[in-house]
Amino acid sequence: LNMILFRKFRVLILMVFLVACTMHIMIDLLPKLEKRATGAESGDGGCQCAHHTGGESQGWGKQRARTAAEAGWPNKHTLRILQDFSNEPSSNLTSHSLEKITTAGDRADSFRRMKTSAGKADDHKPLMGDASGGRIVPSRAVSRLSRLFEHPLYKVELPPLTDDDTLFNVNNDIRFYPRATGNQGWHNEDGNEDEEEFSPTEEVTAESYPNWLRFHIGINRYELYSRHSPVLDALLKDLVTQRITSVAMKSGGTQLKLIMTFQNYGQALFKPMKQTREQETPPDFFYFSDFERHNAEIAAFHLDRILDFRRVPPVAGRLVNMTREIRDLTRDKKLWRTFFISPANNVCFYGECSYYCSTEHALCGKPDQIEGSLAAFLPDLNLAKRKTWRNPWRRSYHKRKKAEWEVDPDYCDEVKQTPPYDRGTRLLDIMDMTIFDFLMGNMDRHHYETFEKFGNDTFIIHLDNGRGFGKHSHDELSILVPLSQCCRMRKSTYLRLQLLAKEEYQLSSMMEESLLRDRLSPILIQPHLQAMDRRLRLVLQVVAGCIEKEGYVNVVEEDLVGDTATHRGPGHR
């Protein structure tokens, strides 16, 4: 009897195993079957129609299989990954990618379906218009920001550019997108009639390239973009209006960042909103534990432009639909699996990162709309290599241990004797970056990058500014230590700071007017704007103390010819 029962039990176990295997196979086949059935019934070939956010939020579990089918559920060999521009040495990889990095030739293949119409200059908006897809600045007799940019200090010309001074040569280096100029047979591979507008009908010129590529081509030894470039405003508008086609998580870093690809094959780094503008970081918070702020990235770009550094890649704010523009587009399973519906019936996700990626730090929409900053990518590292440098005034990132510069008052003398700070303008670039960070309250500048092609005679790229504008009631004077220790500054920077301290060109007013252009305006609350004026006065006080101690000529380095300047040498900005 026991033997008979044992045999029946084994048969039962076997049947349960077979049923489980069958269910597993059916679950795998279900998305494909539903997609095929949906296409047959609707006859629209899988058209993506507008979703009702409320219905999606309530029916998350029921819609899971359907949305996976509509989005073309991830194939690990199909996701294109390009670099982002974080200042970490490993910043050019995506840890959650589903394939290897795309080569320059692969990206050239994708470029053949795209064209930006030539002659768009007529569509260029005035300086204070809706160039970035944002709000219109209230009309005034004369824009104060426009007057600032018309000041002689903002009209300093560059030296004539040679091939060695430009990151790419349009005639020769355009090989990095060979089909952009040589292949007139662009065609619509997917049979989508809406994309026919991208088919070329005339000879392709640099003016017909997409704005992100024109931005890349315009980079030179002295600047990421020119002062009054129409490409800049057009690119800012693209960041806000271009349709997102794919999303992937970016590797590295303590907090979640996403790489977004657009319909015109441009890419941007998306930092979602984590804190409201009114939330101030407590003064006692350890700087490494502070959240990155999306509005800080936006404000940093505008501040960098007003200071006339032009070393921050273009950044714009955008309101993103987490369901249609992230969840349904991502091919990253690890990201997709972190989506959930909160008790408040909002769509949330948390992704994967080093520290702040968990349900306790989830990013939630209202119900699935979320703010974020989109920063345009720099050129692919395969095309324009960058070198990562350790900031000499890097913090220890230890709660008890101090960095050498914090305990050695003569630390700058050692830095001045160490390459690349012993020649050229690199030390002056560090001083510019110090002032930039102090005005924002950014204590997290551990590394910086430069373009390898230009060697040591080029500018520092001001990347990763998310930890700025966290405090407005506290000024972290330790950020100014490099300036107070070295007592060195460019004359052009000094004169612009003095100009921005005047009532007519007050820094806070210039920033407020500039930030009105962004789609997510207001970007900064008044206390942060006022804090910049206060910090600017502190910077000028430090410089005045240096001048009193060491003399003007030993502190302020001449980089201007005459009172306003016309040219700068190869080692100057």
Side-chain angles (χ1 to χ4, degrees), residues 259-512:
I259 297 174
M260 291 185 169
T261 304
F262 302 118
Q263 183 181 16
N264 68 355
Y265 298 95
Q267 290 191 305
L269 186 70
F270 180 76
K271 289 189 177 183
M273 176 178 177
K274 295 185 176 72
Q275 292 181 311
T276 65
R277 290 142 176 78
E278 294 75 20
Q279 287 179 276
E280 183 178 12
T281 303
D284 293 329
F285 256 42
F286 189 55
Y287 44 81
F288 188 71
S289 61
D290 193 13
F291 284 114
E292 293 186 11
R293 297 169 181 264
H294 73 297
N295 61 315
E297 293 285 359
I298 301 168
F301 163 69
H302 288 261
L303 175 62
D304 176 85
R305 191 181 187 186
I306 288 172
L307 294 174
D308 201 43
F309 294 153
R310 286 166 287 123
R311 303 167 196 172
V312 173
V315 184
R318 179 164 177 165
L319 193 64
V320 173
N321 185 298
M322 297 164 61
T323 303
R324 296 199 304 270
E325 296 181 305
I326 299 180
R327 189 196 75 189
D328 291 354
L329 294 180
T330 185
R331 296 174 180 269
D332 191 332
K333 289 184 179 180
K334 292 183 178 180
L335 173 61
W336 193 89
R337 287 170 180 164
T338 65
F339 275 84
F340 64 94
I341 302 299
S342 72
N345 207 33
N346 293 321
V347 177
C348 305
F349 74 103
Y350 51 89
E352 288 189 359
C353 60
S354 302
Y355 290 93
Y356 300 109
C357 289
S358 63
T359 52
E360 291 81 5
H361 300 99
L363 304 164
C364 297
K366 294 184 180 298
D368 60 358
Q369 304 287 319
I370 190 169
E371 287 186 13
S373 64
L374 276 166
F377 264 29
L378 293 177
D380 191 289
L381 289 182
N382 292 319
L383 311 173
K385 293 183 179 179
R386 300 193 301 276
K387 186 169 183 178
T388 300
W389 307 78
R390 180 188 174 97
N391 183 1
W393 281 271
R394 179 184 188 272
R395 297 181 181 276
S396 68
Y397 289 88
H398 191 282
K399 291 182 176 65
R400 292 176 297 278
K401 183 180 178 180
K402 290 184 176 295
E404 184 179 352
W405 58 267
E406 294 181 277
V407 296
D408 182 4
D410 299 322
Y411 177 77
C412 186
D413 293 334
E414 299 177 15
V415 174
K416 289 178 182 178
Q417 300 173 22
T418 306
Y421 309 101
D422 58 343
R423 58 169 294 275
T425 61
R426 183 61 60 83
L427 186 64
L428 296 175
D429 286 331
I430 292 291
M431 298 303 108
D432 286 346
M433 186 171 64
T434 295
I435 295 168
F436 176 64
D437 284 336
F438 179 68
L439 293 175
M440 294 192 300
N442 177 26
M443 303 172 66
D444 190 38
R445 188 70 67 184
H446 43 81
H447 289 82
Y448 64 86
E449 293 185 13
T450 59
F451 288 108
E452 273 193 9
K453 177 179 179 179
F454 305 133
N456 293 333
D457 295 324
T458 187
F459 61 93
I460 289 174
I461 310 171
H462 294 166
L463 305 174
D464 199 4
N465 306 298
R467 285 202 171 99
F469 298 103
K471 304 173 185 176
H472 54 71
S473 60
H474 175 73
D475 299 327
E476 184 50 66
L477 295 177
S478 63
I479 303 176
L480 275 183
V481 166
L483 181 61
S484 61
Q485 285 184 344
C486 297
C487 282
R488 294 284 299 280
M489 175 184 281
R490 283 187 173 91
K491 182 177 180 180
S492 59
T493 299
Y494 183 47
L495 293 180
R496 290 189 188 104
L497 293 179
Q498 289 181 315
L499 184 67
L500 293 169
K502 296 180 178 179
E503 183 66 26
E504 183 182 2
Y505 299 108
Q506 192 174 32
L507 177 59
S508 59
S509 298
M510 299 299 99
M511 281 290 291
E512 184 175 23

Side-chain angles (χ1 to χ4, degrees), residues 156-184:
V156 180
E157 296 180 2
L158 298 179
L161 297 177
T162 66
D163 288 346
D164 292 335
D165 295 325
T166 56
L167 192 59
F168 299 117
N169 182 280
V170 177
N171 296 324
N172 298 325
D173 288 344
I174 200 60
R175 65 180 180 275
F176 61 85
Y177 288 118
R179 299 191 182 185
T181 56
N183 184 1
Q184 299 301 312

Side-chain angles (χ1 to χ4, degrees), residues 12-13 27-28 37 69 73 85 94 110 112 143 194 206 210 212 221 225 240 248 255 311 357 374 464 512 533 555:
L12 180 62
I13 293 296
I27 290 174
D28 285 343
W73 184 237
F85 50 77
T94 302
S110 67
R112 60 196 169 90
S143 164
D194 292 338
W212 59 266
R221 183 185 299 276
Y225 56 88
V240 176
Q255 302 179 39
R311 303 167 196 172
C357 289
L374 276 166
D464 199 4
E512 184 175 23
D533 290 333
V555 174

